[in-house]
Amino acid sequence: MPDQNASLSAAGVVCEFDPFHQGHRWLLEQLRAACPEKGIVCVMSGGFTQRGTAAALDRSARAEMALRGGADLVLELPLLWAASSAEPFARGGIQCLLDTGVVDTVAFGSEDGDLSRLATAAQALDSAALQPLLRAGLEEGLSYPAARQRALEGLVGPDGRCLETPNNSLGVEYLRALRHWGQEDVTVLTLPRQGAGHDSRQEQAWPSGSLLRRWMCDGEWERLETALPPSSWAITVREREAGRCPARLEACERGVLARLRSMTEEELSALPDCAPGLEQRLARAAGEATTLAQLYDRAKTRRYPEARIRRMALWAFLGLTADRRPERAPYLRVLGFNRRGQALLREMKERAKLPVVLRSGQIRQLSQDAQIVFQAECRGEDLRQLCLPRPGLGGQEWLRRPVCLTSPDSDGWD
């Protein structure tokens, strides 16, 4: 085992880990093999995720899964970035990694495993030549992702097809985020995704997170047990027995619909990614729907895919608006660490570009932006507690403490 005090730099991953599965474990194992002298820092979503719904498992449980599966330090990607479309999600995650002051390598999984192809796409997406092609596709009624992909293929040819798959597409956004933050010299590693594809319902040896969450919601625990790493399964059992999983936004669907029905079109237009006219469509769908599934089905179109509608409905439910999101995350909140992560935290005391938060009370002493971001976090968790099989009390986010695995037999280093 390497000397933990010597780990002065780290490789970083942006993630959701809902739940932490075999493909995630493989990614961290490969990253450890590629960077044996570095720690592994994960910036992870909290109570809600990019797909526009509640995380099935609590953030502390998922942080523990990650630590037992190969991570050293888990930081939180605040809600205002975690439950956003790919560009702000990636910018927020990459910014948090860079602002640790210790991350000098960024890693992500991709369907291609071909960094040069993704880099070509990222550069083209930031070029002025893309915009007229993109506008032409949107004017034809294509969804933004479809119009963007067609425009990209018009610039770079077949390499533009890399956006057809979700992990490639998100990897391109990570590369764009590095350019946005002026950090193109950071080392980047991409590893080919293993197991079933994102959102796949195929029952492969390593099922997708979507299928694992479906098994949770359907109570197919025997299937889940065989598909998760043993430590992830043990934590899932603990959370299930405590009534803390799976969280489902559908448990609050009447509340979501009530909120949408009570909003004015002006309020709806302040939601993220609300194009002109979409607020009217969402208002009409909310008036007609009696379930979330009906809402999504009525509001989505070829141009406005379901994921976009889900995120808008979620932000409405949580009482959030796009103008409340600052340009940068204002702090680095620690969700968990092991011994090597503890050494990284000591380094971050000197090198981090943002305040490092171990206890929620520290945020009271921080900037106004920090108050805004954490208030959203608290409101989100208060409402997420109502999405649990055994609904919990409000105010839980003020009581959260990092998962600490610092004893020699608890690090999960195999």
Side-chain angles (χ1 to χ4, degrees):
M1 183 180 298
D3 177 5
Q4 305 310 309
N5 293 323
S7 182
L8 303 180
S9 64
V13 175
V14 183
C15 57
E16 291 184 332
F17 292 161
D18 189 35
F20 184 92
H21 55 59
Q22 298 286 10
H24 297 140
R25 183 171 71 171
W26 180 88
L27 175 68
L28 297 190
E29 286 174 350
Q30 296 301 305
L31 186 54
R32 180 77 71 195
C35 308
E37 301 304 316
K38 298 182 185 297
I40 296 179
V41 177
C42 295
V43 169
M44 188 187 77
S45 302
F48 294 88
T49 65
Q50 198 195 5
R51 62 185 179 274
T53 191
L57 286 150
D58 178 77
R59 71 194 79 188
S60 293
R62 286 151 47 222
E64 183 179 351
M65 289 179 176
L67 293 170
R68 296 190 183 279
D72 297 312
L73 175 63
V74 183
L75 305 174
E76 180 179 81
L77 178 60
L79 171 63
L80 294 176
W81 290 267
S84 298
S85 58
E87 184 173 322
F89 176 90
R91 283 192 182 180
I94 293 296
Q95 178 233 316
C96 288
L97 288 177
L98 297 174
D99 282 352
T100 64
V102 298
V103 171
D104 59 12
T105 300
V106 170
F108 56 86
S110 63
E111 287 84 3
D112 281 13
D114 183 348
L115 185 60
S116 63
R117 187 181 184 209
L118 301 181
T120 297
Q123 187 171 4
L125 287 175
D126 286 330
S127 70
L130 183 87
Q131 294 309 309
L133 298 175
L134 178 61
R135 283 195 298 271
L138 292 174
E139 288 170 0
E140 291 178 24
L142 296 178
S143 69
Y144 181 83
R148 188 177 70 155
Q149 180 179 316
R150 193 177 76 175
L152 183 60
E153 288 185 41
L155 289 181
V156 302
D159 281 354
R161 294 175 188 162
C162 66
L163 296 187
E164 291 177 348
T165 49
N167 288 278
N168 277 351
S169 186
L170 195 52
V172 167
E173 291 302 331
Y174 293 143
L175 296 174
R176 294 182 70 205
L178 286 168
R179 181 180 294 109
H180 175 80
W181 298 121
Q183 297 292 327
E184 293 176 80
D185 57 341
V186 169
T187 300
V188 179
L189 299 175
T190 186
L191 299 163
R193 180 186 172 92
Q194 301 295 305
H198 182 81
D199 281 342
S200 171
R201 296 300 177 92
Q202 295 180 353
E203 296 188 24
Q204 299 184 10
W206 290 3
S208 70
S210 297
L211 184 56
L212 295 174
R213 289 188 295 273
R214 190 186 77 178
W215 288 346
M216 277 190 202
C217 293
D218 292 347
E220 299 187 55
W221 301 106
E222 291 183 2
R223 284 183 166 183
L224 197 68
E225 180 179 9
T226 62
L228 290 176
S231 56
S232 292
W233 169 245
I235 293 166
T236 301
V237 170
R238 182 191 72 200
E239 295 298 297
R240 180 191 68 186
E241 291 177 348
R244 292 193 293 262
C245 93
R248 300 176 67 248
L249 189 60
E250 287 74 11
C252 290
E253 67 183 353
R254 289 189 181 183
V256 179
L257 292 171
R259 171 63 179 157
L260 287 168
R261 289 186 182 188
S262 67
M263 294 174 71
T264 66
E265 288 186 2
E266 182 179 3
E267 289 172 327
L268 290 169
S269 68
L271 296 172
D273 301 325
C274 188
L278 183 52
E279 74 279 3
Q280 298 172 359
R281 185 174 187 85
L282 188 58
R284 185 166 57 252
E288 297 171 349
T290 58
T291 67
L292 285 179
Q294 289 177 359
L295 172 76
Y296 303 148
D297 187 61
R298 283 167 167 74
K300 71 181 181 181
T301 66
R302 186 172 67 155
R303 183 167 185 175
Y304 305 126
E306 183 175 319
R308 185 170 180 174
I309 303 300
R310 287 200 307 264
R311 285 191 294 268
M312 290 178 66
L314 174 64
W315 278 55
F317 178 55
L318 300 181
L320 305 175
T321 56
D323 61 1
R324 299 290 282 175
R325 183 173 59 211
E327 171 66 13
R328 302 173 66 92
Y331 54 76
L332 299 171
R333 189 181 186 205
V334 179
L335 293 180
F337 56 90
N338 61 18
R339 286 182 296 156
R340 188 179 297 201
Q342 205 169 31
L344 288 168
L345 286 171
R346 286 194 292 269
E347 284 294 310
M348 288 168 60
K349 285 183 180 180
E350 303 296 327
R351 294 161 58 179
K353 300 173 186 176
L354 292 174
V356 178
V357 173
L358 287 160
R359 296 177 182 272
S360 300
Q362 294 174 252
I363 295 175
R364 292 191 176 100
Q365 310 304 317
L366 302 183
S367 66
Q368 183 62 32
D369 277 351
Q371 311 302 316
I372 291 170
V373 169
F374 192 66
Q375 285 168 10
E377 212 68 55
C378 292
R379 185 185 304 113
E381 185 58 29
D382 285 352
L383 292 173
R384 184 182 176 278
Q385 289 289 322
L386 299 176
C387 298
L388 303 180
R390 193 179 303 165
L393 302 176
Q396 297 298 303
E397 213 49 41
W398 285 104
L399 307 177
R400 193 179 299 276
R401 296 289 184 269
V403 176
C404 179
L405 301 183
T406 55
S407 63
D409 60 349
S410 67
D411 290 340
W413 296 347
D414 298 327

